[in-house]
Amino acid sequence: MCGIVGLFLKDKALEPRIGDLLTGMLVTMTDRGPDSAGIAVYRDGVPGQAKLTVQVDDPDAIYPTLAAQLGTMIDAEVTLEPNNTHALLRVPVEKTSEARAALRDLVPGVRIMSDGASIEIYKEVGLPEDVAKRFEIGEMSGTHGIGHTRMATESAVTTEGAHPFSTGADQCLVHNGSLSNHNALRRKLRRDGVRIESENDTEVGAAYLTWKMQNGASLGEALESALDDLDGFYTFVVGTKDGFGVLRDPIACKPAVMAETDQFVAFGSEYRALVNLPGIDTARVWEPEPATVYFWTH
Amino acid sequence: MPTYDLEVNGLRGFNAALHELAGTTPNEPWELVNPKGSHAIAVGLDAPIDVTVAGSTGYYCGGMNKQATIRVAGSVGPGVAENMMSGTVIVEGDASQYAGATGHGGLLVIKGNASSRCGISMKGIDIVVHGNIGHMSAFMGQAGTLVVCGDAGDALGDSLYEARLFVRGSVKSLGADCIEKEMRPEHLELLADLLARAESDARPEEFRRYGSARKLYNFNIDNAY
């Protein structure tokens, strides 16, 4: 069991409230996943800049000097905003790969949660409410976001085992379920040069979609082909820079409820997660069909 | 009429108050407000009492019901009226997966659609769905009746025992050992009664009947791998 929440805003007036709304939804899903929690929020893109969200074990020792060190190594201007165990680094977009490699040399054990123009990912072990407070998720504004509460089954309870997983620029995925062909698929994707950092099944699902999109598929097409190539139980919610998608496996054991109004599209593992959204009483509420791709773009 | 606010007073108090009535014949109907998708609302009742839930619920609403009439003015999550013994559960909106699963008796009415596995392992419950039902419905259904006024999804009635299935619309596919059967006068009579009790204006003649071919009942060496 895990909990998923997602919110894709159509009405800009709600953007300042997205962190607060997502936090409320996430905390409601604590029963479904009390061991770790995470959130991906899309916001504040600056043209020409990439954002990297990183996490280290000893932030007080690492973060004060990291921007300067990284800047020297990649010969570019780098800024850093610490946020608890995580930090947001901004680098010129063309230096993204170089920055990723340099970070690994500079800080052995660094965890790079995401990179992209607008994505930021914050995730840790602990109760969802505590995780949201640590990173002050409630204060964040943004255009869309996805959250996850984890009850681990396929790999250990660790920061890197928490969701969302990001395997490509501005892409992320959260998952309720378990994939059964992830080992074979991981080997295949790694042979094709796809970056997969953990032994977690969900990361393979995320990497698969990234690989498809790198080869020219749209988000919708990548999700369609996942139905053929992924085996196991899954309800996925996927984020891209300007898109938001949902896919359930053909058996559809893992629960899902969606709601749509003129202001937003929302996803919850249970209706409970949606009850405090503005206008929910008059929203169109439905259960997404099995083996059917849903996606929205800005 | 006692009105109970779930947000103010909590779920356990509500179910405990209704359990207090077991074995009595209460006169007053109860209303629950602010259910907000909570799980296990009005579970385990055992009295001829009317309960209205003003909103949508989460998992297992009306589970194990005996005698009570529970009306949900909203939609319900997975497992509504699971293992119901008797009484009536009416859902004004949609139902999520495994509605009425393993039910032994009583009537479950869903005015909207029900998703996958509706009536899975039903053991005597009657279920009337005004809309459509999802895949694998009535899987291993042993007894009782499932009436679908709309369409049925894939693998209807897979590994069916003696549950009776009636569908007015299309059936995407039949499950293993489920076949279409002739509609006889007693089936039209049964349907007329159920549709009337379920507040449906569908006509019995519009339905087709499906049931077990009874080929999977006993071990057959030809079915072994």
Side-chain angles (χ1 to χ4, degrees):
Chain A
M1 191 147 63
C2 291
I4 298 178
V5 299
L7 196 52
F8 179 81
L9 298 181
K10 302 180 190 174
D11 181 357
K12 283 189 178 303
L14 279 182
E15 288 182 4
R17 291 178 60 196
I18 197 165
D20 183 40
L21 292 169
L22 273 171
T23 299
M25 296 164 78
L26 192 74
V27 171
T28 310
M29 291 293 95
T30 300
D31 304 4
R32 299 191 64 91
D35 69 43
S36 0
I39 206 149
V41 62
Y42 291 82
R43 61 174 189 151
D44 294 344
V46 176
Q49 271 189 4
K51 297 191 285 189
L52 282 80
T53 320
V54 299
Q55 189 259 15
V56 298
D57 290 332
D58 190 1
D60 293 340
I62 306 286
Y63 291 155
T65 55
L66 185 58
Q69 286 177 302
L70 183 62
T72 307
M73 274 188 81
I74 66 171
D75 190 23
E77 192 186 327
V78 176
T79 63
L80 181 147
E81 297 161 41
N83 184 348
N84 204 276
T85 54
H86 289 41
L88 193 62
L89 290 155
R90 288 178 191 271
V91 302
V93 66
E94 68 278 7
K95 296 276 186 181
T96 307
S97 305
E98 225 178 304
R100 289 187 74 105
L103 277 167
R104 292 191 193 289
D105 289 341
L106 277 169
V107 190
V110 65
R111 299 177 186 99
I112 302 171
M113 299 304 184
S114 63
D115 71 65
S118 60
I119 191 173
E120 298 173 21
I121 288 181
Y122 300 92
K123 60 186 189 183
E124 276 296 357
V125 171
L127 284 171
E129 185 173 12
D130 297 338
V131 172
K133 272 193 189 140
R134 277 174 94 150
F135 299 115
E136 298 179 337
I137 304 292
E139 310 297 314
M140 292 179 185
S141 63
T143 53
H144 51 302
I146 295 170
H148 187 269
T149 63
R150 182 170 188 232
M151 188 179 284
T153 56
E154 293 293 298
S155 64
V157 177
T158 57
T159 303
E160 54 266 62
H163 304 211
F165 285 94
S166 179
T167 47
D170 281 314
Q171 293 168 9
C172 78
L173 174 137
V174 299
H175 174 203
N176 176 14
S178 53
L179 299 180
S180 43
N181 64 339
H182 64 100
N183 283 323
L185 194 54
R186 184 185 295 105
R187 286 193 293 272
K188 175 179 156 50
L189 290 169
R190 277 182 174 155
R191 275 201 303 276
D192 283 354
V194 179
R195 185 181 77 228
I196 300 176
E197 320 239 351
S198 75
E199 294 308 301
N200 181 283
D201 59 329
T202 304
E203 191 185 8
V204 175
Y208 171 83
L209 296 177
T210 297
W211 174 70
K212 279 282 170 188
M213 286 189 272
Q214 277 169 355
N215 287 293
S218 66
L219 171 61
E221 289 163 347
L223 289 169
E224 285 285 353
S225 53
L227 285 167
D228 293 328
D229 292 336
L230 299 182
D231 189 14
F233 295 116
Y234 52 87
T235 289
F236 289 140
V237 178
V238 181
T240 64
K241 188 178 173 188
D242 53 7
F244 177 83
V246 172
L247 179 67
R248 301 175 81 195
D249 70 76
I251 305 292
C253 286
K254 299 299 177 184
V257 181
M258 302 209 63
E260 184 167 12
T261 70
D262 291 342
Q263 289 188 293
F264 61 79
V265 177
F267 178 97
S269 289
E270 300 175 19
Y271 179 71
R272 276 192 303 161
L274 310 179
V275 293
N276 290 323
L277 291 173
I280 190 69
D281 289 338
T282 53
R284 183 172 80 93
V285 177
W286 78 101
E287 182 170 318
E289 294 283 330
T292 303
V293 171
Y294 296 83
F295 69 100
W296 290 262
T297 49
H298 275 129
Chain B
M1 176 167 72
T3 297
Y4 192 96
D5 189 333
L6 200 70
E7 208 167 20
V8 176
N9 299 305
L11 174 68
R12 281 174 187 236
F14 178 67
N15 280 338
L18 295 177
H19 292 166
E20 288 279 309
L21 302 170
T24 70
T25 307
N27 292 318
E28 284 190 313
W30 281 61
E31 186 185 33
L32 178 75
V33 296
N34 285 320
K36 296 205 161 185
S38 298
H39 302 167
I41 287 173
V43 158
L45 307 192
D46 189 4
I49 179 177
D50 281 359
V51 178
T52 298
V53 180
S56 294
T57 74
Y59 284 70
Y60 308 128
C61 179
M64 300 179 282
N65 184 43
K66 266 186 180 173
Q67 305 188 67
T69 298
I70 300 163
R71 187 179 286 267
V72 181
S75 292
V76 293
V80 63
E82 186 170 76
N83 217 55
M84 177 153 68
M85 304 304 285
S86 63
T88 306
V89 174
I90 303 152
V91 179
E92 299 288 348
D94 297 330
S96 184
Q97 55 182 328
Y98 48 92
T102 76
H104 287 251
L107 174 66
L108 168 63
V109 179
I110 295 155
K111 299 237 174 137
N113 301 314
S115 70
S116 60
R117 292 170 279 274
C118 180
I120 185 171
S121 199
M122 53 196 288
K123 295 179 172 71
I125 190 173
D126 292 323
I127 304 173
V128 179
V129 181
H130 287 215
N132 306 323
I133 58 169
H135 64 276
M136 295 299 280
S137 288
F139 177 65
M140 295 185 84
Q142 289 140 62
T145 308
L146 172 63
V147 179
V148 184
C149 300
D151 302 330
D154 271 321
L156 176 71
D158 194 285
S159 307
L160 197 65
Y161 293 89
E162 291 302 303
R164 292 166 294 203
L165 316 180
F166 298 94
V167 182
R168 183 165 68 160
S170 66
V171 174
K172 199 165 178 193
S173 66
L174 292 172
D177 210 33
C178 183
I179 54 169
E180 184 172 353
K181 295 187 166 184
E182 65 167 333
M183 193 74 112
R184 295 195 298 267
E186 66 263 34
H187 303 122
L188 294 172
E189 207 174 305
L190 172 76
L191 264 176
D193 173 57
L194 280 172
L195 289 166
R197 286 164 57 206
E199 300 164 345
S200 166
D201 54 12
R203 291 186 294 117
E205 305 78 51
E206 297 168 340
F207 288 79
R208 298 165 81 142
R209 181 167 77 103
Y210 303 89
S212 175
R214 303 185 176 119
K215 302 279 189 202
L216 291 176
Y217 269 38
N218 303 302
F219 179 72
N220 180 347
I221 190 63
D222 292 333
N223 291 334
Y225 286 108

